[in-house]
Amino acid sequence: MSDPTKGGAYGTPAGDTDFRKTWDLEEYAARGKEREAKEREESKARYEAKLAGRKYHIPLTGNESLASARRTALDVSSQVGKTQLVPAGAGQGRRGRGAGFYCEACDLTYKDNKQFVEHMNSPQHLAATGQKMEVERASAGEVRARVEYWWEQRLELEREQAVSLQERLELRREENEREAAEKRRKRREVEERKRAEREAAEKVKTEYGEDVRIEGEHDEDDMMASLGFTGFGTSKNKT
Amino acid sequence: MKSGRTVYANESRFLDERGTASELAPNGENPAKIMEKAVIGRIVDSQFYQYQCFALNEAGIVDRVVNDVHFIGGTYGAAQKPTPFLCLAFKLLQLAPADDVLEVYLGHGGERFKYLRALACFYIRMTRRPADVYRLLEPYLADRRKLRRKTRQGTSLTYMDEFVDDLLTKTRVCATSFRELPRRTDLVDLGELEERESPLGDIDELLEEEDERDQAEEEARQANGDDERSEGEIDGGRDGDGGEDRMDVDRRSRSRSRSPGRRERGETPDRSKS
Ligand SMILES: [Zn+2]
């Protein structure tokens, strides 16, 4: 069915992937040229700025979003102590994925977290991620709202702590009650046993005296046994 | 003062621009040169600054103070590490927040989060005109909340009022040198401290009544015989006249009882510094 000259695994002509490859290469070449031109332009501007005694700032395209502050620390600790697979040929300079802290957006690898953070804060990285080196100011109202937010958070935390304290106290109270009930039960048990012993002793005395077996004596024994009291020197053991 | 809608995410442009007239602080200082160069170097090199201070705006300052500032100070330890407090003060120098924002830091925010007030006071001392420094900071001589302070020697305990007093009387606080403040009496003579310009201006009116009220308060204080301190975040009343009034009462009774003559009063002519 398939034509061996075409080489497609499922009869699909491989030409379609060939086409993609060509297209990719063309695009890469075009992008490369574009980047080179941009870099040349940039280094020229950089040089001119240096001559003028000023720092060069990358011009904005107008499509960038404003930078925003991190709410949490950069998650670099997650990479500490992990073995990373490093592609062969990596480790030459920063370009590409290598051992260390890798920035996906810029395809750069940094040896340590300090260099990495410096990169994350760099105009180069922000440009690569479509952000400006600028932050929007906050108004007094926004600042006030932020204060309120944190104050609410703090109050909420305090409420939670109070609730958990309340819960702990409640739990402790229930536990204490259970323990007290258990003690009461044991005390009653002991009293019950002593009473039964006393009564049994009385009975033995009377039985010895009359030497008569009383009807229902065994019923009582059965009842005692069912309550877990056996062998308290009843007449059965003595006779 | 800067009034643009945006501000740069890092310090490079701030330090690069040598301070054009429009960017000078209200007291005429170049904000990029208020802190010492070596100190700025330590700040921008510090992990806290790089991780947590990038792209902060005025609201982000609140986030960071609430979560990360647990003591005041300049640099600490043998390594002279800059405190988060100092890093954020440096960030404020870049942001140059507007007066109404500073008011929130001092008042509404400062009541709830004491280190926010401490930071704002420090920033105001660095950038504001002497008369404004007195006017904005003096109310907090009544704030008795505890503050931790870290220095090269270690951690110590201080109070908001003592910190504010340092800001008003000393020329070096938290690794930062200030120009000496003119005496309060001189500012009054110049008429700079008589006008009620500040939203916290009630203090002036209250100061005028000071002599009449002193006697009664002194008696009240002695009757109470206490000097309780609040550890909580809220001290004194909520913002508004009532709260400030109470704070002022506290301030005077306390400054008399604990350190008489420690500070110059506007009404006292020519009391020289100790
Ligand atoms: Zn990057």
Side-chain angles (χ1 to χ4, degrees), chain A residues 102-108 110 116 119-120 122 124-126 128-129:
Chain A
Y102 177 66
C103 174
E104 193 96 44
C106 307
D107 191 31
L108 293 171
Y110 292 87
F116 183 65
H119 167 73
M120 298 303 273
S122 70
Q124 176 196 12
H125 173 79
L126 290 177
T129 53

Side-chain angles (χ1 to χ4, degrees), chain A residues 53-55 57-58 66-74 76 113-114 117-118 120-123 126 132-144 146-151 154, chain B residues 2 4-10 12-13 16-17 45 47 50-52 54-60 62-64 66-67 95-96 100-101 104-105 108-109 112-113 116 233-234 238-239:
Chain A
R54 299 190 68 85
K55 231 175 220 167
H57 301 289
I58 293 170
L66 294 161
S68 59
R70 288 175 198 99
R71 283 299 178 92
T72 54
L74 285 181
V76 287
N113 60 356
K114 193 170 170 56
V117 174
E118 272 169 19
M120 298 303 273
N121 294 346
S122 70
L126 290 177
K132 283 184 195 175
M133 268 308 266
E134 281 169 68
V135 201
E136 192 159 9
R137 284 184 173 279
S139 68
E142 286 166 323
V143 171
R144 201 181 167 96
R146 196 64 61 89
V147 167
E148 280 305 299
Y149 168 80
W150 287 116
W151 185 239
R154 182 159 292 189
Chain B
K2 277 183 205 167
R5 200 176 61 85
T6 61
V7 64
Y8 285 99
N10 73 3
S12 68
R13 220 172 260 207
D16 189 39
E17 284 166 3
D45 211 36
Q47 181 161 308
Q50 292 185 349
Y51 274 52
Q52 305 290 8
F54 181 74
L56 282 187
N57 66 5
E58 293 87 338
V62 177
D63 298 343
R64 295 278 64 83
V66 169
N67 290 289
L95 283 172
D100 57 350
V101 168
V104 178
Y105 289 165
H108 185 76
R112 285 153 185 79
F113 302 105
L116 187 57
E233 291 292 354
I234 298 181
R238 298 273 163 180
D239 49 358

